[in-house]
C-alpha cells in the first residue's frame, strides 16, 4: 500500500477553512439521548454573505466527503470534491452565493468525532464517542448557522448522504430552508445498503489492528480492513456499464493472463488503489460512525411512519434528482421522496438523469444535471429576490 | 462465531459419494501450462445408467457448491443443494436419469485442491496448487466420464459457475453433450463481478490468519477474512427486492434502535450468519482458486474473440435461463449467449423468468423454471430415444 502521504492524524485537516467550538452554553441533544458539548465543527466558506443574509447555500457532504468542497484538499492535495458544481460562474456561483460546507459531526476532518481526545481520559474517544444520526449532524449544522448569524438558507444541497441531510434540514427546519436539492438519495436506508455497510464494518472489525477502536493507542490503524471496506463500497458507487466501459476485462500491464493471484485485471488495480488511497485520508472509526448514521436514517420514522407527514405545510421548494444507473439509491427510492412531497402539497421538481455513471454521477461532469439545477436555482433566486446571475455567466 | 461443527479438514467430505484417482497415465494438461496427475475427483451419482449409457445427466455446481446435490451434506448435515430440481419424480428425475455431480477441481470437498497434501513436500499445497480454469474443471469432468464409460451426456446442467461449465462442455466437447442447460450465467465474467471477487480475495489476504495460504501449517484458518468475503458475495446473490421483502429495516430482537455497533438490524444478523456458517464448510484457498477460475472465464477468448465461433456446427440443444432480478448475471449477459448460439445456427430456447429472488433463484422453488426445464428435457429425451417420464410423475 502507498505510504506517500503522512498519516492523517498528523496533518491539520482544517487547511484553508475554519473551526468553531459550539454547544458550550447549550449542548447538542443527540438522538441517542446523550448531550454533546462543547464540540467542534470544521467548515469552509466561499463567496460573501449579502447584507440581508439571504444568499447562503449549505453544501452537505457524502459519507467520505469533507468540507473541502471547492478548495484544494489539505490532506490529499487534490481539488475539492465538487468543483464541477461550485465556484465562480458555476451552478452554485460563489460570486453570487455565500457557500458553506461543514465536516459532519462524527467525521475526521476537524469536526468532533471518534478520532478526538476524550477530555475525561485524554485519549482518543474511539467507540466511546456517542453514536450519531443524520439528524444530529443537521442539528450541529444549524448551530453553526446560528453562530454565523444566518437565519435562513437560500438553499441546502447535497448528494447521497448529503441528500439525506438536505431532507432532514427540510424536515427539522422547514422555515430555515428556502430551497432544497436532495440528489441521489432516499428517505430511508434500504436493507441492501445496510447490508453493504455491515460488510464494510465487519471488514474493519476483522482487522486485528482495529483494537476495538483503540488503534491510535497502539500506534497503528486498521489499514487492511478499512481498505477492504472501501473497495466493497466503491463498487456500489459505480455502475456495471461504467466499469465495463472503463475497464472491461482489460489486463493490467500485461499481454496475457499469468494464472496467479497478483493483480491481473485493470479493474482489480483500480479497486486496490481506491482502497489504499482511502486509508490515507479517512479514519476507520469515523467510517463506522457515519455508515451507522446512514443506516439509522428513516425520515418517515420521525413522523409516525408516514413520509408525507414530515413535509406537511412546508414552503420549501424542492428539486429531487436521480440517475438512471444509480443502483445504490435507485430512482424508485428518489421517487418515494417526490411522492411524499406531492402528497404534502409541496413545491417539487423531479428529474431523473440518463447516465451510465452510477451513483457517483452527482460528483461528475453531468451537463443535464447542471442545466437542471441552474434553472431551478435561478428560479428560486428570483422568488427570493436575489440579484441575477453573476456577470461572469454560468455554464448554460 | 459458531464452533458447533468440527473443522472442515477433520471430516470426510466424501460422505455417501465416491472418489476416483485420475490422470495417472496421461496427466491433465492445465490451461496454465502445467500437467496435473494423478489427481482426485470426488463425485456422487443418483439413479442407474441405462444399457446404452444414454441417460447420464451431469450437474455442474456453483462457486461454493459441491457434489452433494441430492443427498444429505456430510459437512453441514443439511439436504443437498438442488433437491428442488433433482430426485425421484423431480425435473431431473433420478428414476429416469443417471445423475452425476462432481466436486470441481480446486474445490475442497474431496477433489484435488489447495487443501490437499503436496506429495513433494507432504504439506498442504496452499498457493502452490496450480491455478485452474473453468476449462480445466470441465476437462477433469470429461476424464471422470471416461472412467465411468460414458461417451455422451444426455444433458449438462448448472447455474452460475455451473452454467459456465455447461457452456465450456458444449464448446470443448460438442459431440459429448446432447442437451445443455446453462442457467443464470455468462460467457465471460464481467468487470463488476471480477471486482466483487477481488474484494473477497482481499478480505482473505487481509486476515493475518491466512499466512499467505499456509494457514493449516499454523493450525488456524482465516475465519474472519473468509466470512467477510462470503458476506460481500452473498449480497450479490440476492436482490434488493428480496432483501426488502425478507428483512426490510426490521430490528433484530429489539423494539427500538440502541445506538451502537452491535447487530441492530435483521439483515445484519442474516449476513453474519451467512459468513460464520460458510467458514465451517469451505476452504479459504479454494475460494481464492475458484473465484479466479470464474474471473478468467471468457469463452469467446478461446475462439478469436467471437463467441459464435465457439459453437459453430454444434448439434447440442440449448436451453438458456435467466432471472429478471439477477444483477450478478443479468439477462443481458445470458442473451449474449443466446445471440451467439443463434448466430451459430444452434438449436436454442431462451427463457427469462420473472422473479424477485435474484441470482440464487436457480436454487429455489421457481415453478416457471421447473415447468420450462421439464418441457425442454422431455422434448430432448424423446429426440434421444429415452423412455418417457417415470411412472411416479413429475411436478407438472
Amino acid at each position: 500500500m502507498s505510504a506517500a502521504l503522512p498519516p492523517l492524524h498528523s496533518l491539520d485537516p482544517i487547511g484553508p477553512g475554519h473551526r468553531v467550538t459550539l454547544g458550550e452554553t447549550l449542548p447538542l441533544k443527540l438522538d441517542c439521548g446523550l448531550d454533546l458539548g462543547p464540540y467542534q465543527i470544521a467548515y469552509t466558506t466561499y463567496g460573501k454573505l449579502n447584507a440581508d443574509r439571504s444568499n447562503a447555500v449549505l453544501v452537505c457532504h457524502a459519507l467520505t466527503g469533507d468540507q473541502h468542497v471547492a478548495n484544494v484538499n489539505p490532506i490529499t492535495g487534490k481539488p475539492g470534491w465538487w468543483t464541477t458544481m461550485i465556484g465562480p460562474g458555476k451552478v452554485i456561483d460563489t460570486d453570487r452565493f455565500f457557500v458553506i460546507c461543514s465536516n459532519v459531526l462524527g467525521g475526521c476532518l476537524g469536526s468532533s468525532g471518534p478520532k478526538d481526545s476524550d477530555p475525561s481520559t485524554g485519549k482518543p474517544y474511539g467507540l466511546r464517542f456517542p453514536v450519531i444520526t443524520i439528524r444530529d449532524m443537521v442539528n450541529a449544522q444549524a448551530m453553526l448557522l446560528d453562530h454565523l448569524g444566518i437565519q435562513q438558507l437560500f438553499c441546502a444541497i447535497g448528494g447521497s448522504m448529503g441528500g439525506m441531510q438536505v431532507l432532514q434540514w427540510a424536515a427539522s427546519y422547514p422555515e430555515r430552508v428556502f430551497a432544497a436539492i436532495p440528489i441521489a438519495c432516499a428517505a430511508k436506508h434500504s436493507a441492501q445498503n445496510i447490508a453493504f455497510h455491515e460488510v464494510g464494518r465487519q471488514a474493519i472489525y476483522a482487522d486485528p489492528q482495529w483494537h476495538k477502536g483503540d488503534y491510535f493507542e497502539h500506534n497503528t490503524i486498521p489499514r487492511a480492513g478499512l481498505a477492504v471496506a472501501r473497495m466493497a463500497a466503491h463498487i456500489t458507487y459505480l455502475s456495471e456499464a461504467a466499469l465495463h466501459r472503463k475497464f472491461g476485462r482489460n489486463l493490467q500491464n500485461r499481454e496475457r493472463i499469468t494464472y496467479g493471484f497478483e493483480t491481473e485485471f485493470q479493474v482489480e488495480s483500480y479497486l486496490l488503489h481506491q482502497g489504499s488511497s482511502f486509508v490515507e485520508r479517512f479514519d476507520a472509526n469515523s467510517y463506522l460512525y457515519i455508515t451507522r448514521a446512514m443506516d439509522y436514517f428513516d425520515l418517515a420514522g420521525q413522523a409516525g411512519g408516514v413520509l408525507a407527514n414530515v413535509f406537511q405545510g412546508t414552503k420549501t421548494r424542492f428539486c429531487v434528482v436521480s440517475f438512471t444507473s444509480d443502483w445504490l439509491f435507485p430512482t424508485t427510492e428518489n421517487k418515494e421522496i417526490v411522492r411524499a412531497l406531492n402528497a404534502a402539497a409541496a413545491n417539487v421538481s423531479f428529474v431523473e438523469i440518463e447516465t451510465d455513471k452510477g451513483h457517483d454521477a452527482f460528483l461528475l461532469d453531468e451537463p443535464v444535471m447542471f442545466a437542471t439545477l441552474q434553472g431551478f436555482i435561478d428560479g428560486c433566486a428570483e422568488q427570493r429576490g436575489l440579484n441575477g446571475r453573476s456577470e461572469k455567466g454560468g455554464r448554460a
Side-chain angles (χ1 to χ4, degrees), chain A:
Chain A
M1 302 236 180
S2 158
L5 292 164
L8 174 61
H9 53 287
S10 74
L11 287 172
D12 169 24
I14 311 306
H18 317 275
R19 179 153 55 184
V20 63
T21 301
L22 299 169
E24 287 181 300
T25 318
L26 278 177
L28 181 62
K29 295 208 165 293
L30 300 175
D31 273 336
C32 68
L34 298 175
D35 286 351
L36 183 68
Y39 65 93
Q40 296 189 300
I41 292 293
Y43 65 101
T44 54
T45 68
Y46 312 88
K48 284 184 185 166
L49 191 62
N50 62 7
D52 63 355
R53 304 182 173 204
S54 62
N55 70 335
V57 173
L58 180 70
V59 177
C60 300
H61 70 70
L63 168 52
T64 70
D66 52 45
Q67 70 273 33
H68 301 295
V69 61
N71 55 259
V72 170
N73 189 299
I75 303 288
T76 64
K78 291 185 178 171
W81 57 268
W82 221 2
T83 52
T84 50
M85 184 72 85
I86 297 165
K90 302 256 171 98
V91 173
I92 297 181
D93 186 349
T94 50
D95 290 337
R96 186 183 189 193
F97 299 114
F98 178 61
V99 176
I100 309 155
C101 185
S102 65
N103 186 216
V104 294
L105 194 65
C108 53
L109 269 284
S111 291
S112 290
K115 192 164 66 71
D116 288 350
S117 284
D118 179 350
S120 71
T121 64
K123 294 176 182 173
Y125 278 104
L127 292 199
R128 290 167 298 279
F129 193 78
V131 167
I132 50 135
T133 65
I134 300 292
R135 182 156 58 182
D136 295 332
M137 295 174 184
V138 164
N139 287 340
Q141 288 161 354
M143 288 172 86
L144 172 64
L145 291 199
D146 293 343
H147 164 78
L148 296 173
I150 295 167
Q151 176 51 32
Q152 189 194 49
L153 292 167
F154 165 64
C155 179
I157 183 172
S160 197
M161 187 184 80
M164 290 177 168
Q165 292 164 70
V166 170
L167 293 174
Q168 185 67 62
W169 260 102
S172 295
Y173 303 101
E175 74 292 347
R176 295 188 78 170
V177 186
F178 189 80
I181 306 176
I183 305 173
C185 68
K188 61 173 187 289
H189 216 215
S190 71
Q192 182 168 291
N193 287 359
I194 294 172
F196 273 117
H197 275 177
E198 179 66 5
V199 167
R201 288 189 293 261
Q202 290 294 331
I204 292 169
Y205 302 157
D207 189 333
Q209 302 304 319
W210 180 58
H211 293 287
K212 294 184 192 288
D214 290 333
Y215 42 87
F216 289 126
E217 292 179 49
H218 292 80
N219 203 26
T220 185
I221 57 171
R223 187 175 290 272
L226 183 59
V228 169
R230 175 62 169 180
M231 285 187 261
H234 196 80
I235 300 174
T236 70
Y237 302 151
L238 306 175
S239 70
E240 181 167 8
L243 282 168
H244 179 71
R245 177 169 43 75
K246 282 170 112 162
F247 307 110
R249 294 180 46 83
N250 296 339
L251 301 180
Q252 176 70 9
N253 300 333
R254 59 196 67 188
E255 299 241 324
R256 55 190 66 209
I257 60 175
T258 57
Y259 299 101
F261 292 101
E262 297 297 311
T263 303
E264 191 91 318
F265 295 97
Q266 284 178 8
V267 68
E268 295 175 319
S269 171
Y270 171 75
L271 265 194
L272 286 170
H273 172 75
Q274 294 299 326
S276 63
S277 60
F278 184 62
V279 301
E280 306 298 336
R281 72 173 177 89
F282 214 83
D283 175 57
N285 285 338
S286 272
Y287 195 81
L288 299 177
Y289 275 82
I290 301 175
T291 56
R292 207 43 155 170
M294 290 179 76
D295 292 352
Y296 283 145
F297 189 63
D298 178 9
L299 201 52
Q302 298 173 19
V306 181
L307 189 57
N309 289 353
V310 174
F311 300 113
Q312 214 62 54
T314 185
K315 290 178 183 159
T316 303
R317 290 131 179 93
F318 290 84
C319 183
V320 177
V321 178
S322 74
F323 302 100
T324 50
S325 56
D326 182 350
W327 56 278
L328 195 65
F329 293 101
T331 290
T332 50
E333 297 190 13
N334 289 272
K335 275 189 177 162
E336 275 181 31
I337 302 165
V338 177
R339 265 199 301 276
L341 287 166
N342 280 326
N347 183 334
V348 55
S349 306
F350 168 63
V351 181
E352 181 189 32
I353 290 168
E354 180 82 30
T355 174
D356 80 348
K357 292 176 191 156
H359 179 63
D360 268 357
F362 77 94
L363 298 168
L364 303 174
D365 186 25
E366 282 292 347
V368 176
M369 173 177 71
F370 297 138
T372 299
L373 296 186
Q374 187 72 69
F376 177 75
I377 287 171
D378 283 350
C380 290
E382 197 177 323
Q383 291 163 35
R384 187 68 185 88
L386 290 173
N387 292 334
R389 294 171 61 186
S390 72
E391 289 182 6
K392 291 188 183 176
R395 284 176 174 274

